[in-house]
Amino acid sequence: MLEELKIRIQKFLLDKAVAKFEAELTRQKEPYEQWIRLHETDNVTKGKADQGAMPVAGITVIHYSECGSDFDIQNLQVSSEEIVVFVEDLGTLAPNALVRIKETFHSNKLEGEAHTDIKPVLLYADEDYYENAYGKRSKPWFKPVWSPDTLLSYFYIGSIFALSVEDIKKHQWKGSHQPLVNLYDLVLKVTDHVKKEQVVHLDEVLFHHYYKHENFDFDCWIPGSGALFSEIKEDALHRRRQEGKVSKEDTIVYEIIGNPMVSILIPSRNNPGLLRKCLESIKNNTSYQNYEIIVIDNGSSGENRLRLLELSKEYGFRHLYRMMEFNFSAMCNYGAEHARGEYLLLLNDDCEVITKEWITYMLGQAVQQHVGAAGAKLYYPGGDLIQHAGITNLGIGPAHKLIAMTDSKIYYHGVNRMVHDMIGVTAACLMVSKSKYFEAGGFCETMKVSYNDVDFCFALHRLGYYNCIRNDVILIHHESLTRGNDGEDTQKWNRLLAEKTFLYQRHLDLKKYDPFYSSHLVQNAREYRCEYMYEYERTDYFTELRKCDSLPAMEENDEIIVSLESAALEKKIDTEQKEGYLIEGWCYVRNLDNARYQKKLFLTGPLELPFEEQMNLEGTLLTRYRKDVSETFPDEVHTELSGFVCRIPAQDVDGHKHLSAGSYQMTIGMKDSCSRQFLCHRLEQKLTID
């Protein structure tokens, strides 16, 4: 009887532990669900996607399927004051969608600024998917603000947009049997000569697709791409007097009028071998021939100057020599002042050209009146891992999305394909007209090493120009071979932070804001996913350490498998960030259900003191979803939350050291919630407090 009761209690406790584990696992696997709870605070609309929108006076809803060849745009039986909302068929509007569209369409506030005399022409919103079987939403598509070059690449407007009847009736209907061809064509016509203030991006999720099927790749869905849409894109170019064609890579290639000279500016010092490789690639892989090469040298040694002289004879470049400390900005400006070309192409000496039409494609883009800087996609050596596909201004600062991810896959509706408007592109390969270069003030020479290209692109953006990444232009970039990796040197890292601080002092309005990257997308990672930070991701979330007279009675056990990935002072990503020590890794108990265990951290030290003077500290470890661990050990039970994270502040609220300097013994404890068992594993590595 007593044994049966014990078994029932054990089962009850285990079931309770498993339920708690699965609830937390679901929370960590579905950040979008947490995002919905956080952002959609209206009780009428919160998370709901199965009700549809109530009709609203003054708005007519037309489904995409109605917009075929027999759709009569001129005989819409509605008032000229009406708004027409076009929506995809296989989905539903959010309950508040039409109300929000009408409110925004008639509001004087467009994209956060007051434009009392400007009427909206086009409005579009964000969207996601709704799984009716599970009653949940997923796969949000958060879109950028008005992006004219992106729109010429594909129909990033997506599944919901609104136009006024007045604007619709100004244009001839295409009359294709394919509704999306007609709608894409209509949007291109309506926006032919639009001001950016007349296009409104409503950054709310107002349309929910019905979930398609398990094998549907959401990232690969790029509406308006492919040969079916080439004609309407080329028609748009012709109407706008921007002659060009759609290439086999499905990108716009502009026709270059005349034969303007391009000046390739290559800063280089004491790297003749690297420079030769770069020059050889230009020579062998460049179809456009009206260019000059200028090498800007800030102080190569005598021997290397002689080698550069030989290279200049072989490759026909001008060698501008001026002894000075390394200042990338000053070197670029010096080269620009001596350039003969109408267009400047900044190029690192550690780049190799792959795409023969690189200058043709980039020049065609840079020639456009509305374009500031045109950039290229860069690969790491030895494969197709992305090093640069445009600069994104994240919450943590300017960064390269998709870094070290394979380019063989398509990401987030084609961000690594075609041409996209971006806040910036890297000066490792950047083209701009000379006149716009000097209009923007050139490169800021106070920013000697880092973020000078971002600052320059910010300046172009503030002048009203659009910076573009051409994903069809590919170079290999041996990144930082010339000057080393900033992240591996404390002094260089601190300089990097100082230059980032200075960048935002010059462009305060762009701190933590990128018009071409939604604020609802993650602000501290390379992937494209919704912005929801779990506790373990927050650099300001510190573990509370409690002093204890002695460590609890624990059983050292070889069945605990621990991998410690970090135990050191965490690098600051912002000068305002509070310093702390990061302890991170993963652990699990072999051959047992890990849902029953709670992770603890114990510190003992400083070990340099006599034993009786050492402190014992206890803290709770945050759990982290580790899909990689569960896939590596498929036979172990409930290892999905095997990750652990702990941050310890370097100083307390009064500015004193939180822990005394010295080394500390770290012990991982695993407390069984179903019994009195308490397992532990002493780590060989020590935590060193400076």
Side-chain angles (χ1 to χ4, degrees):
M1 185 75 171
L2 185 61
E3 190 63 31
E4 183 182 344
L5 181 61
K6 284 178 65 177
I7 292 172
R8 289 174 64 184
I9 291 174
Q10 281 280 317
K11 184 179 184 305
F12 171 80
L13 292 173
L14 181 58
D15 289 347
K16 184 179 178 181
V18 169
K20 184 178 179 181
F21 176 93
E22 289 179 345
E24 178 60 19
L25 178 60
T26 298
R27 189 180 82 92
Q28 292 203 24
K29 287 176 71 175
E30 298 180 356
Y32 186 45
E33 286 289 316
Q34 317 313 315
W35 182 93
I36 291 170
R37 293 190 180 99
L38 185 65
H39 289 273
E40 296 185 358
T41 54
D42 185 344
N43 289 330
V44 175
T45 63
K46 191 171 184 177
K48 297 180 179 178
D50 57 349
Q51 297 178 350
M54 294 293 290
V56 171
I59 289 186
T60 297
V61 176
I62 296 177
H63 290 94
Y64 281 15
S65 63
E66 300 175 56
C67 299
S69 57
D70 56 350
F71 180 71
D72 193 343
I73 196 170
Q74 299 301 327
N75 289 320
L76 284 174
Q77 300 301 308
V78 291
S79 162
S80 60
E81 300 297 317
E82 288 259 334
I83 300 166
V84 176
V85 177
F86 294 92
V87 294
E88 177 64 79
D89 292 68
L90 298 177
T92 182
L93 289 165
N96 66 333
L98 300 183
V99 172
R100 291 294 296 121
I101 288 170
K102 186 173 182 178
E103 287 174 351
T104 308
F105 219 91
H106 292 305
S107 170
N108 287 331
K109 291 186 176 181
L110 307 182
E111 294 294 342
E113 300 177 16
H115 301 284
T116 55
D117 58 342
I118 297 178
K119 183 177 72 70
V121 168
L122 168 68
L123 180 149
Y124 59 98
D126 298 335
E127 56 194 86
D128 64 11
Y129 283 82
Y130 178 64
E131 300 177 62
N132 194 46
Y134 304 102
K136 69 175 185 178
R137 291 159 50 188
S138 62
K139 306 293 182 183
W141 184 6
F142 297 122
K143 300 166 188 173
V145 302
W146 172 234
S147 305
D149 300 280
T150 308
L151 183 62
L152 266 176
S153 291
Y154 73 106
F155 194 61
Y156 83 88
I157 304 301
S159 304
I160 176 171
F161 67 96
L163 301 168
S164 72
V165 171
E166 179 185 0
D167 287 317
I168 292 171
K169 289 190 173 183
K170 290 177 184 176
H171 304 283
Q172 185 176 352
W173 190 246
K174 176 69 175 173
S176 168
H177 292 291
Q178 298 290 335
L180 190 58
V181 171
N182 297 324
L183 293 169
Y184 193 174
D185 180 67
L186 175 62
V187 169
L188 288 172
K189 286 173 178 173
V190 166
T191 57
D192 272 344
H193 306 291
V194 75
K195 297 177 181 178
K196 67 177 182 180
E197 296 86 2
Q198 293 177 287
V199 181
V200 182
H201 168 231
L202 187 51
D203 61 345
E204 300 173 27
V205 178
L206 298 185
F207 183 78
H208 311 293
H209 290 268
Y210 295 139
Y211 196 81
K212 296 183 183 296
H213 50 78
E214 290 296 329
N215 297 323
F216 180 73
D217 193 331
F218 304 90
D219 287 341
C220 291
W221 181 53
I222 311 173
S225 63
L228 183 65
F229 302 92
S230 296
E231 182 184 344
I232 61 171
K233 296 176 186 178
E234 291 175 358
D235 286 347
L237 292 177
H238 185 68
R239 287 193 308 271
R240 300 170 188 183
R241 298 181 181 178
Q242 299 170 300
E243 296 304 327
K245 61 181 181 179
V246 178
S247 71
K248 64 179 184 294
E249 291 88 8
D250 202 22
T251 57
I252 299 294
V253 176
Y254 291 98
E255 181 181 329
I256 300 168
I257 307 302
N259 190 33
M261 175 180 276
V262 175
S263 296
I264 303 175
L265 310 181
I266 308 177
S268 185
R269 175 180 178 270
N270 282 332
N271 282 301
L274 205 59
L275 180 62
R276 172 184 282 278
K277 206 168 188 179
C278 174
L279 295 168
E280 188 69 16
S281 73
I282 295 172
K283 178 182 176 181
N284 295 332
N285 294 317
T286 303
S287 58
Y288 190 86
Q289 289 301 304
N290 191 19
Y291 65 86
E292 65 167 352
I293 300 174
I294 301 174
V295 174
I296 306 101
D297 184 346
N298 67 315
S300 288
S301 64
E303 181 184 346
N304 283 323
R305 284 185 71 181
L306 290 175
R307 292 179 65 187
L308 285 171
L309 180 62
E310 295 172 3
L311 285 177
S312 69
K313 293 175 182 177
E314 183 178 353
Y315 292 100
F317 64 79
R318 280 193 286 153
H319 181 206
L320 299 182
Y321 182 88
R322 186 167 75 172
M323 179 69 73
M324 60 177 176
E325 65 172 343
F326 181 81
N327 185 325
F328 184 81
S329 297
M331 294 170 76
C332 290
N333 290 342
Y334 187 54
E337 289 165 5
H338 288 79
R340 302 188 186 113
E342 296 175 55
Y343 292 85
L344 308 177
L345 202 172
L346 308 183
L347 185 67
N348 277 18
D349 63 358
D350 56 358
C351 284
E352 294 178 61
V353 178
I354 300 298
T355 307
K356 281 186 175 289
E357 296 82 9
W358 70 302
I359 291 182
T360 304
Y361 289 177
M362 294 177 74
L363 178 59
Q365 200 73 40
V367 163
Q368 303 311 308
Q369 189 175 2
H370 71 284
V371 172
K377 183 189 290 180
L378 305 179
Y379 285 170
Y380 285 108
D384 69 349
L385 296 185
I386 297 169
Q387 188 267 322
H388 169 265
I391 292 170
T392 302
N393 192 32
L394 299 177
I396 60 171
H400 295 183
K401 298 290 288 186
L402 308 179
I403 192 164
M405 296 172 71
T406 176
D407 198 33
S408 62
K409 292 181 62 178
I410 295 174
Y411 303 99
Y412 208 66
H413 309 283
V415 291
N416 59 322
R417 298 291 186 266
M418 300 178 284
V419 180
H420 290 261
D421 294 297
M422 306 286 290
I423 194 63
V425 292
T426 178
C429 183
L430 178 157
M431 188 182 289
V432 63
S433 75
K434 189 197 291 185
S435 62
K436 290 173 185 173
Y437 184 91
F438 288 112
E439 183 186 358
F443 275 39
C444 175
E445 296 187 13
T446 305
M447 307 175 78
K448 299 177 182 180
V449 182
S450 301
Y451 299 122
N452 34 45
D453 49 2
V454 180
D455 175 80
F456 176 69
C457 288
F458 281 5
L460 288 169
H461 170 74
R462 292 166 76 99
L463 289 169
Y465 297 117
Y466 287 86
N467 302 310
C468 303
I469 180 71
R470 290 215 55 123
N471 283 303
D472 54 352
V473 175
I474 299 173
L475 290 84
I476 295 172
H477 187 202
H478 302 267
E479 186 186 26
S480 299
L481 279 182
T482 306
R483 58 178 179 83
N485 188 340
D486 291 339
E488 296 174 357
D489 183 282
T490 301
Q491 187 176 353
K492 288 182 177 180
W493 185 260
N494 290 334
R495 185 258 307 148
L496 189 76
L497 289 180
E499 290 188 328
K500 182 163 68 172
T501 299
F502 183 68
L503 170 72
Y504 290 123
Q505 288 172 350
R506 286 169 55 84
H507 306 280
L508 188 60
D509 57 324
L510 288 173
K511 187 172 184 180
K512 300 185 179 181
Y513 173 64
D514 185 333
F516 306 105
Y517 182 84
S518 172
S519 61
H520 300 317
L521 286 168
V522 65
Q523 298 294 313
N524 65 343
R526 63 180 182 169
E527 302 88 0
Y528 282 77
R529 51 183 167 84
C530 78
E531 166 66 354
Y532 180 81
M533 292 189 74
Y534 292 98
E535 295 84 353
Y536 63 78
E537 295 178 291
R538 289 173 45 188
T539 57
D540 62 346
Y541 195 98
F542 293 106
T543 295
E544 181 183 349
L545 293 177
R546 298 174 296 279
K547 288 185 179 180
C548 45
D549 294 333
S550 60
L551 298 181
M554 293 184 288
E555 174 190 341
E556 283 223 49
N557 195 306
D558 292 338
E559 294 301 302
I560 299 182
I561 306 300
V562 181
S563 175
L564 185 66
E565 296 168 333
S566 173
L569 190 67
E570 187 172 18
K571 273 196 170 72
K572 292 169 68 172
I573 56 174
D574 192 294
T575 53
E576 299 171 4
Q577 181 181 327
K578 190 174 180 181
E579 267 192 340
Y581 292 86
L582 174 64
I583 300 171
E584 185 174 20
W586 53 266
C587 64
Y588 70 91
V589 182
R590 283 194 297 197
N591 305 317
L592 287 171
D593 190 332
N594 282 268
R596 63 195 292 162
Y597 290 101
Q598 299 170 347
K599 302 180 186 71
K600 298 280 186 179
L601 171 70
F602 297 94
L603 297 177
T604 301
L607 299 176
E608 292 78 7
L609 295 178
F611 178 77
E612 60 274 9
E613 295 180 30
Q614 295 176 15
M615 290 187 301
N616 292 308
L617 301 159
E618 175 187 348
T620 301
L621 290 169
L622 295 173
T623 59
R624 179 177 183 176
Y625 174 46
R626 292 294 296 259
K627 182 181 179 182
D628 56 331
V629 176
S630 63
E631 289 179 344
T632 303
F633 305 102
D635 295 331
E636 301 293 346
V637 181
H638 287 139
T639 56
E640 293 90 344
L641 295 177
S642 57
F644 61 81
V645 177
C646 171
R647 285 183 173 87
I648 302 169
Q651 296 180 333
D652 61 23
V653 291
D654 297 320
H656 302 120
K657 282 190 175 182
H658 195 73
L659 292 176
S660 300
S663 57
Y664 288 76
Q665 172 68 56
M666 292 182 287
T667 302
I668 301 295
M670 302 286 275
K671 188 176 187 306
D672 188 353
S673 61
C674 303
S675 73
R676 295 178 181 177
Q677 185 186 50
F678 207 149
L679 306 177
C680 74
H681 181 97
R682 294 180 192 274
L683 299 174
E684 290 185 14
Q685 184 176 337
K686 306 297 187 287
L687 175 65
T688 302
I689 304 296
D690 298 325

